[in-house]
Amino acid sequence: MSNNEAEYQAVIAGLMFVIRHYPGSRVRCLTDSRIVVDQLAGRHAVRAAVLQPLHMRAQELVRQHGRVTFLAIPRELNRLADALAWEALDGRGWLACALNRHHAM
């Protein structure tokens, strides 16, 4: 799965959760994928065929919920989230070791 596919899957899962558990609440979706934010805001076309159904589903959920804004976070400000994602995917424990060393100082 590409990074953009994963971003769309996360947006979809998050919106489904909010619709189910917090209907009517304001939602601010933060992501480091500028292209996904621009596509969901209608500023960029979705050219990749694999993203088109994901984009349509996300847009459908946005319309259903109605109170959603998207914000792109610069990647350099999102390093901890990236590290945690890689930790979850990798399972080697390098981040936990690094954090433990940092806190021991």
Side-chain angles (χ1 to χ4, degrees), residues 18-66:
V18 168
I19 289 167
R20 188 175 308 119
H21 298 285
Y22 302 97
S25 62
R26 287 187 147 173
V27 175
R28 183 177 299 151
C29 179
L30 308 172
T31 176
D32 65 1
S33 178
R34 180 63 159 192
I35 189 69
V36 170
V37 169
D38 288 346
Q39 288 172 341
L40 288 168
R43 291 186 292 268
H44 287 290
V46 181
R47 292 188 181 94
V50 70
L51 296 180
Q52 290 173 351
L54 296 171
H55 179 264
M56 287 180 2
R57 178 65 176 139
Q59 288 289 62
E60 174 185 313
L61 292 168
V62 167
R63 280 190 299 276
Q64 182 179 343
H65 187 69

Side-chain angles (χ1 to χ4, degrees), residues 84-92:
L84 291 171
W86 280 110
E87 173 71 11
L89 293 172
D90 198 25
R92 283 190 246 163

